[in-house]
PDB file of all heavy atoms in Angstrom:
ATOM      1  N   PHE A 211      78.349-112.547-168.189  1.00 69.00           N
ATOM      2  CA  PHE A 211      79.217-112.992-169.275  1.00 69.00           C
ATOM      3  C   PHE A 211      78.453-113.235-170.561  1.00 69.00           C
ATOM      4  O   PHE A 211      78.959-113.036-171.647  1.00 69.00           O
ATOM      5  CB  PHE A 211      79.933-114.280-168.874  1.00 69.00           C
ATOM      6  CG  PHE A 211      80.831-114.099-167.704  1.00 69.00           C
ATOM      7  CD1 PHE A 211      80.410-114.421-166.437  1.00 69.00           C
ATOM      8  CD2 PHE A 211      82.093-113.582-167.864  1.00 69.00           C
ATOM      9  CE1 PHE A 211      81.235-114.238-165.347  1.00 69.00           C
ATOM     10  CE2 PHE A 211      82.937-113.410-166.785  1.00 69.00           C
ATOM     11  CZ  PHE A 211      82.499-113.734-165.525  1.00 69.00           C
ATOM     12  N   THR A 218      64.698-115.659-163.757  1.00 75.00           N
ATOM     13  CA  THR A 218      64.016-114.401-163.489  1.00 75.00           C
ATOM     14  C   THR A 218      62.511-114.517-163.607  1.00 75.00           C
ATOM     15  O   THR A 218      61.802-113.563-163.357  1.00 75.00           O
ATOM     16  CB  THR A 218      64.475-113.309-164.465  1.00 75.00           C
ATOM     17  OG1 THR A 218      64.332-113.802-165.787  1.00 75.00           O
ATOM     18  CG2 THR A 218      65.903-112.928-164.200  1.00 75.00           C
ATOM     19  N   GLN A 478      85.977-116.492-164.716  1.00 83.00           N
ATOM     20  CA  GLN A 478      87.080-115.649-165.174  1.00 83.00           C
ATOM     21  C   GLN A 478      88.379-116.432-165.190  1.00 83.00           C
ATOM     22  O   GLN A 478      89.180-116.307-166.116  1.00 83.00           O
ATOM     23  CB  GLN A 478      87.227-114.430-164.262  1.00 83.00           C
ATOM     24  CG  GLN A 478      86.164-113.393-164.493  1.00 83.00           C
ATOM     25  CD  GLN A 478      86.083-112.405-163.365  1.00 83.00           C
ATOM     26  OE1 GLN A 478      86.673-112.606-162.303  1.00 83.00           O
ATOM     27  NE2 GLN A 478      85.367-111.333-163.575  1.00 83.00           N
ATOM     28  N   GLN A 484      92.115-120.683-170.552  1.00 73.00           N
ATOM     29  CA  GLN A 484      91.558-121.434-171.678  1.00 73.00           C
ATOM     30  C   GLN A 484      90.906-122.722-171.223  1.00 73.00           C
ATOM     31  O   GLN A 484      91.022-123.740-171.872  1.00 73.00           O
ATOM     32  CB  GLN A 484      92.613-121.797-172.742  1.00 73.00           C
ATOM     33  CG  GLN A 484      93.692-120.800-172.937  1.00 73.00           C
ATOM     34  CD  GLN A 484      93.144-119.557-173.597  1.00 73.00           C
ATOM     35  OE1 GLN A 484      93.143-118.500-173.018  1.00 73.00           O
ATOM     36  NE2 GLN A 484      92.664-119.728-174.799  1.00 73.00           N
TER      37      GLN A 484
ATOM     38  N   GLU B 369      63.367-109.380-171.029  1.00 71.00           N
ATOM     39  CA  GLU B 369      62.596-108.611-170.058  1.00 71.00           C
ATOM     40  C   GLU B 369      62.726-107.115-170.254  1.00 71.00           C
ATOM     41  O   GLU B 369      61.916-106.354-169.749  1.00 71.00           O
ATOM     42  CB  GLU B 369      63.041-108.939-168.625  1.00 71.00           C
ATOM     43  CG  GLU B 369      62.714-110.336-168.171  1.00 71.00           C
ATOM     44  CD  GLU B 369      63.827-111.293-168.494  1.00 71.00           C
ATOM     45  OE1 GLU B 369      64.681-110.943-169.332  1.00 71.00           O
ATOM     46  OE2 GLU B 369      63.861-112.376-167.907  1.00 71.00           O
ATOM     47  N   GLY B 413      94.090-116.716-179.144  1.00 81.00           N
ATOM     48  CA  GLY B 413      93.381-117.069-177.926  1.00 81.00           C
ATOM     49  C   GLY B 413      94.220-117.016-176.672  1.00 81.00           C
ATOM     50  O   GLY B 413      93.727-117.271-175.585  1.00 81.00           O
ATOM     51  N   VAL B 422      79.600-108.817-172.158  1.00 76.00           N
ATOM     52  CA  VAL B 422      79.875-109.099-173.572  1.00 76.00           C
ATOM     53  C   VAL B 422      79.193-108.117-174.513  1.00 76.00           C
ATOM     54  O   VAL B 422      79.541-108.044-175.682  1.00 76.00           O
ATOM     55  CB  VAL B 422      79.462-110.538-173.960  1.00 76.00           C
ATOM     56  CG1 VAL B 422      80.380-111.547-173.336  1.00 76.00           C
ATOM     57  CG2 VAL B 422      78.028-110.781-173.587  1.00 76.00           C
ATOM     58  N   SER B 445      85.315-110.870-168.526  1.00 83.00           N
ATOM     59  CA  SER B 445      84.433-109.837-167.983  1.00 83.00           C
ATOM     60  C   SER B 445      84.700-109.592-166.521  1.00 83.00           C
ATOM     61  O   SER B 445      84.758-110.524-165.729  1.00 83.00           O
ATOM     62  CB  SER B 445      82.975-110.272-168.096  1.00 83.00           C
ATOM     63  OG  SER B 445      82.575-110.344-169.413  1.00 83.00           O
ATOM     64  N   HIS B 460      97.444-109.807-165.074  1.00 87.00           N
ATOM     65  CA  HIS B 460      96.640-110.989-165.342  1.00 87.00           C
ATOM     66  C   HIS B 460      96.003-110.953-166.724  1.00 87.00           C
ATOM     67  O   HIS B 460      95.604-111.988-167.249  1.00 87.00           O
ATOM     68  CB  HIS B 460      95.537-111.100-164.285  1.00 87.00           C
ATOM     69  CG  HIS B 460      96.064-111.035-162.891  1.00 87.00           C
ATOM     70  ND1 HIS B 460      96.737-112.081-162.300  1.00 87.00           N
ATOM     71  CD2 HIS B 460      96.059-110.044-161.995  1.00 87.00           C
ATOM     72  CE1 HIS B 460      97.090-111.736-161.089  1.00 87.00           C
ATOM     73  NE2 HIS B 460      96.702-110.506-160.867  1.00 87.00           N
TER      74      HIS B 460
END
Side-chain angles (χ1 to χ4, degrees):
Chain A
F211 297 97
T218 53
Q478 285 164 348
Q484 326 290 116
Chain B
E369 292 90 343
V422 289
S445 293
H460 308 286

